[in-house]
Amino acid sequence: MNICCLDMEGVLVPEIWIAFAEATKIPELRLTTRDEPDYDKLMKYRLNILKEHKLGLKEIQEVIATIHPLDGAKEFLDELRSLSQVVILSDTFEQFAAPLMKQLGMPTIMCNTLEVAPDGEITGYRMRCANTKLTTVKALQSIGYETLATGDSYNDLAMIQASKAGFLFRSTDKIKADYPDIPAYESFDDLLGAFKANL
């Protein structure tokens, strides 16, 4: 039994923080897990910038409302779901992901949650579990699934490497150069072909 584990941002939808950085003209918020491998450090950095600029959940959700899946992502996901069970494993947050999941046909997503004050300030965040993507892949394997995985960032590497088959998708040149053993794809057609070949 196979289950396909997909990253969300950068694979199916644009990077939320980059879109928010562009909307707010705050370039420091462009930093993502493609740039900073330490997720805790990255999130503390982001929350400090939000506090400094007096921005909260409402402002981020307003930008998310303007985001649409990447061209071809919905068709790719629909086709993959017709062949296998699929779960999206993301380090994003429930409060960010919900409208994007509606546009993608409500696939299963496992992500984290934000701590939000009554005034909308994001005061912290709760990870679903430690090393969320790798932990989830290992849990799926422990109940009899063989996992196939794809992602674009540092925080995807562990689940990709732990899976029966794993692929980079539209990743950075640095990550591709540092991990030449992981097949890397740029188009949804090629990525779908790689999944099909290993299902």
Side-chain angles (χ1 to χ4, degrees):
M1 288 182 289
N2 294 304
I3 189 163
C4 298
C5 303
L6 312 180
D7 177 37
M8 183 181 86
E9 292 178 74
V11 173
L12 299 172
V13 304
E15 293 280 353
I16 291 167
W17 288 99
I18 290 177
F20 189 60
E22 289 171 359
T24 57
K25 310 272 193 292
I26 303 171
E28 296 87 349
L29 287 173
R30 289 185 63 87
L31 206 65
T32 72
T33 51
R34 288 173 162 218
D35 313 297
E36 174 52 68
D38 185 330
Y39 191 73
D40 190 53
K41 181 177 171 186
L42 177 62
M43 277 306 300
K44 285 178 177 165
Y45 172 78
R46 288 167 168 168
L47 294 185
N48 284 335
I49 293 171
L50 293 179
K51 190 174 182 67
E52 180 186 326
H53 291 271
K54 297 184 169 47
L55 295 167
L57 180 60
K58 175 177 171 285
E59 290 79 11
I60 298 174
Q61 287 178 326
E62 285 170 355
V63 171
I64 291 170
T66 70
I67 294 175
H68 301 287
L70 296 170
D71 286 345
K74 172 85 165 51
E75 294 77 9
F76 160 78
L77 186 57
D78 288 347
E79 177 78 9
L80 190 59
R81 289 171 79 187
S82 76
L83 303 169
S84 169
Q85 293 297 312
V86 176
V87 62
I88 297 170
L89 302 182
S90 176
D91 280 337
T92 193
F93 305 97
E94 295 168 323
Q95 295 92 333
F96 290 4
L100 297 167
M101 291 305 99
K102 283 182 186 164
Q103 293 185 63
L104 288 168
M106 292 306 288
T108 299
I109 183 169
M110 297 180 184
C111 58
N112 306 305
T113 192
L114 292 168
E115 295 169 347
V116 184
D119 66 357
E121 181 189 351
I122 301 171
T123 56
Y125 61 97
R126 287 197 309 277
M127 302 298 278
R128 190 170 42 79
C129 57
N131 301 312
T132 54
K133 298 182 184 190
L134 177 61
T135 301
T136 305
V137 159
K138 291 196 168 205
L140 290 166
Q141 291 167 348
S142 78
I143 56 171
Y145 284 100
E146 289 194 283
T147 59
L148 298 85
T150 191
D152 68 326
S153 299
Y154 284 106
N155 64 335
D156 300 311
L157 293 169
M159 76 167 176
I160 288 170
Q161 292 170 320
S163 292
K164 173 179 84 167
F167 321 105
L168 289 169
F169 185 65
R170 297 182 182 173
S171 190
T172 65
D173 289 341
K174 177 162 181 19
I175 292 174
K176 288 187 281 192
D178 288 347
Y179 296 88
D181 54 317
I182 302 176
Y185 300 102
E186 298 298 319
S187 78
F188 283 115
D189 285 346
D190 289 345
L191 182 62
L192 183 62
F195 273 108
K196 284 180 174 177
N198 287 278
L199 284 171

